[in-house]
Amino acid sequence: MNTVMPFDADATLLSRVTSVVKAAGVTLRERHTPHARGVSLDQIVAEIHANDDAVLDVLRQPLLEARRGSRWAEDELAGGALPSGEWWVVDPAEGNINHVHGMDEWAVTATLVRDNQPVLTVVHLPLTDDTYTAVAGGGARLGDRPLQVSAKTDLGGALVGTGQARPGEDERTFRRIGDSVTAMLVGGLVVRVSVPATMQLIHVAAGRTDAFWQFSDVRSGLVAGALLVSEAGGTVTDLSGEPWNTGSRDFLAAAPGIHTAALKVLSPLA
């Protein structure tokens, strides 16, 4: 009797998921303008929801059909552990706030999470047609090119980053973000503060930047990048140094050579 191992099934699934995500990217690209849309908060929120609704119409059913028995994580801003089993954690417009302000840093992401660990991901950047993919145990790629994290070993020479996970975080979280930026400006070389998380994490996976941390558990912004970085040879933990999963309270993904040093700077703030 032939047994299909999880990796084989996931690798086979990857091509189908990639096609679905790219199709959704066409919809999001068609909605993009080179100017900001919306002036009032209500108008901006309406534009964000319109993007989400349009792209979800392309994503949801094909992904659920591609993996029978999988379920859909409804709230893209939610955090915390998921029930056991397989879940699609999707952001139809990762970096939606950038999209509606006429900027370029946005993507469509779809990640299959199995028992709170990401096992397959596709991140598609419609404006450049770049597609980042990873399957647990199979490495991470940009198109056909394997990704490898930075070989740096000195935090003092590192380009690192963080950002806000969602609007309306509590004041303590905002203060920790500010304190961490100050600490890393002292300990590192340059700190980037931007959104969304996935757009920073693809740079960590590709070795362009060296670390990214976040004081939040918003899973849709982390699962894709966590898998890409780990499959590119990076180290992904919470800020106490424990292996990261969707139930973790905070997040650090870094090149192995600077992970311990970054953790030493950041863990007192967690």
Side-chain angles (χ1 to χ4, degrees):
M1 178 172 138
N2 292 327
T3 301
V4 178
M5 300 301 290
F7 171 79
D8 297 327
D10 294 341
T12 301
L13 179 64
L14 181 63
S15 176
R16 188 170 176 180
V17 175
T18 300
S19 296
V20 172
V21 173
K22 284 186 173 182
V26 172
T27 297
L28 193 58
R29 186 179 66 232
E30 290 173 346
R31 296 184 58 81
H32 185 249
T33 64
H35 58 269
R37 307 194 305 278
V39 175
S40 70
L41 178 59
D42 287 346
Q43 291 170 336
I44 292 168
V45 170
E47 291 285 352
I48 286 172
H49 287 165
N51 280 347
D52 283 344
D53 292 344
V55 180
L56 282 171
D57 283 345
V58 183
L59 283 172
R60 182 173 181 137
Q61 200 58 37
L63 289 178
L64 289 170
E65 291 175 355
R67 193 64 150 192
R68 296 291 182 182
S70 62
R71 288 176 282 178
W72 194 268
E74 293 288 349
D75 185 356
E76 69 187 62
L77 293 179
L82 290 160
S84 61
E86 293 187 335
W87 292 81
W88 288 108
V89 177
V90 170
D91 198 322
E94 169 72 328
N96 211 341
I97 192 69
N98 295 335
H99 186 285
V100 303
H101 282 85
M103 294 187 287
D104 297 344
E105 293 185 325
W106 46 270
V108 180
T109 77
T111 304
L112 184 65
V113 174
R114 180 180 300 128
D115 297 332
N116 286 300
Q117 294 286 353
V119 296
L120 176 153
T121 195
V122 177
V123 176
H124 179 60
L125 283 57
L127 288 183
T128 60
D129 201 32
D130 287 334
T131 305
Y132 294 77
T133 62
V135 173
R141 290 175 172 76
L142 168 54
D144 294 328
R145 180 172 65 83
L147 296 177
Q148 181 66 44
V149 296
S150 165
K152 287 182 184 175
T153 57
D154 178 14
L155 183 62
L159 172 56
V160 300
T162 189
Q164 180 181 350
R166 57 190 161 201
E169 296 270 21
D170 61 89
E171 184 178 345
R172 181 170 178 265
T173 297
F174 289 148
R175 290 189 180 280
R176 285 194 294 173
I177 293 170
D179 290 344
S180 71
V181 169
T182 300
M184 275 296 197
L185 285 169
V186 174
L189 178 63
V190 172
V191 179
R192 300 176 72 238
V193 181
S194 63
V195 294
T198 302
M199 298 300 286
Q200 291 216 50
L201 285 164
I202 60 176
H203 294 312
V204 178
R208 305 180 194 114
T209 64
D210 306 299
F212 173 83
W213 72 94
Q214 189 167 278
F215 295 102
S216 176
D217 61 352
V218 176
R219 65 175 88 91
S220 67
L222 298 176
V223 288
L227 183 59
L228 285 165
V229 172
S230 62
E231 287 297 321
T235 304
V236 183
T237 68
D238 63 18
L239 291 177
S240 66
E242 294 299 318
W244 180 86
N245 61 55
T246 58
S248 301
R249 293 187 309 167
D250 39 42
F251 180 90
L252 172 63
I258 68 158
H259 179 268
T260 299
L263 196 63
K264 185 176 180 180
V265 172
L266 295 169
S267 59
L269 303 173

